[in-house]
Amino acid sequence: MVDVKKRTLQWQGNLELARRPEDRERQYPPVEATTAPRHYEISAQLAARLNAEIASYNRHRNALSLWNALAICLENKIPVPDKLSEFFLDISQKLIGFARDGEKQASRSISNLVLGTISEDGGRGEFRSFQNIEKEREIVRRTGDIILQRIAGELPTLRSLEAIYETVAQEFSVEPEHVKRLFRLYEADAGSFGFRELFKAATSPPQVFASGLDTTHARPDDDIHSEDQPD
């Protein structure tokens, strides 16, 4: 007599093996109910990364910065800030709406929906813009790295911010004034997570935030922008 249950399990197993590896990896476990509270920490460095993406979106209105912020949250298993959650919830609801309503032009609208654009090029301009933004941030990161090295006494020959700007400008084939403008702009966005604070955080325990992120703007006359020696 045929064991139907055994035969069914064998068939399911063979079906699973017949799938492509990438398809087998796309199986997701069900959600389990739990009442246990979840705790999380947001270090100063992590908050600075998120704030940089948020500030970048506020300045350039490029939704890829918000997608990058979402990726940072997911990678580090921390809650997505409320306003960002609203952005992605709106996209999700509209995508589902396209399917439910039988939207005929959905495929042509999805890229603009996901990227927050209204252009006809499928958001290609947003990708180019994001590449430029990434280059700007690389310049700022490099400037900050050199400043921290100078503070640590590793680069005694660079005795002023102007000298550091010139060094970075040569590395990226841009003008020192461009480096200076970008560094000041991004430092203002970083607020209390500017390079001085991050330097302190590197030698201190992680800062924990119960909710939200620090979006304090640096004062224009803050001594962080002094052209004297970094230390």
Side-chain angles (χ1 to χ4, degrees):
M1 185 175 180
V2 177
D3 187 333
V4 177
K5 183 177 181 181
K6 182 178 180 180
R7 180 66 63 83
T8 301
L9 290 175
Q10 184 179 19
W11 175 80
Q12 290 176 337
N14 291 338
L15 181 64
E16 183 68 19
L17 291 174
R19 292 181 178 180
R20 295 176 301 176
E22 58 267 30
D23 290 334
R24 292 200 297 269
E25 293 174 358
R26 289 176 187 161
Q27 304 302 307
Y28 301 105
V31 175
E32 297 182 3
T34 177
T35 57
R38 297 190 64 181
H39 301 282
Y40 64 92
E41 289 186 354
I42 302 179
S43 66
Q45 291 89 339
L46 183 54
R49 290 178 62 196
L50 286 171
N51 284 340
E53 298 298 340
I54 293 171
S56 178
Y57 174 77
N58 289 340
R59 185 186 308 118
H60 301 287
R61 283 296 185 266
N62 189 319
L64 287 170
S65 292
L66 299 186
W67 284 100
N68 209 17
L70 175 65
I72 291 172
C73 291
L74 297 179
E75 287 169 359
N76 292 276
K77 295 181 172 56
I78 61 173
V80 180
D82 291 343
K83 290 298 181 180
L84 266 67
S85 295
E86 293 175 9
F87 173 82
F88 294 111
L89 176 61
D90 182 61
I91 290 176
S92 299
Q93 290 175 332
K94 287 180 178 177
L95 284 173
I96 298 301
F98 286 163
R100 287 175 176 166
D101 300 337
E103 176 65 44
K104 295 181 179 180
Q105 302 296 323
S107 60
R108 303 174 68 179
S109 304
I110 287 176
S111 61
N112 286 332
L113 172 63
V114 170
L115 295 174
T117 59
I118 56 175
S119 62
E120 296 294 331
D121 65 359
R124 286 190 292 271
E126 298 302 294
F127 287 100
R128 287 193 296 269
S129 173
F130 190 74
Q131 289 175 338
N132 293 333
I133 294 170
E134 286 288 279
K135 182 178 180 180
E136 287 184 359
R137 278 191 279 189
E138 186 59 33
I139 290 175
V140 173
R141 278 193 291 266
R142 180 59 178 152
T143 304
D145 287 344
I146 293 179
I147 289 175
L148 292 180
Q149 290 175 8
R150 171 65 183 89
I151 292 175
E154 298 176 9
L155 300 172
T157 58
L158 298 178
R159 302 190 59 80
S160 69
L161 283 175
E162 291 294 343
I164 293 174
Y165 295 149
E166 291 179 7
T167 299
V168 175
Q170 291 176 3
E171 291 184 15
F172 288 88
S173 299
V174 296
E175 293 297 323
E177 194 62 30
H178 180 64
V179 176
K180 178 194 240 182
R181 181 185 66 80
L182 288 178
F183 187 71
R184 287 185 167 183
L185 181 63
Y186 278 76
E187 276 297 308
D189 288 335
S192 62
F193 293 107
F195 81 90
R196 290 183 187 275
E197 286 70 23
L198 292 181
F199 178 70
K200 294 175 185 176
T203 56
S204 304
Q207 299 179 38
V208 181
F209 303 88
S211 63
L213 299 173
D214 188 333
T215 56
T216 305
H217 288 282
R219 297 187 303 276
D221 58 348
D222 198 324
D223 62 3
I224 195 172
H225 301 314
S226 172
E227 300 307 322
D228 296 329
Q229 296 181 12
D231 52 2

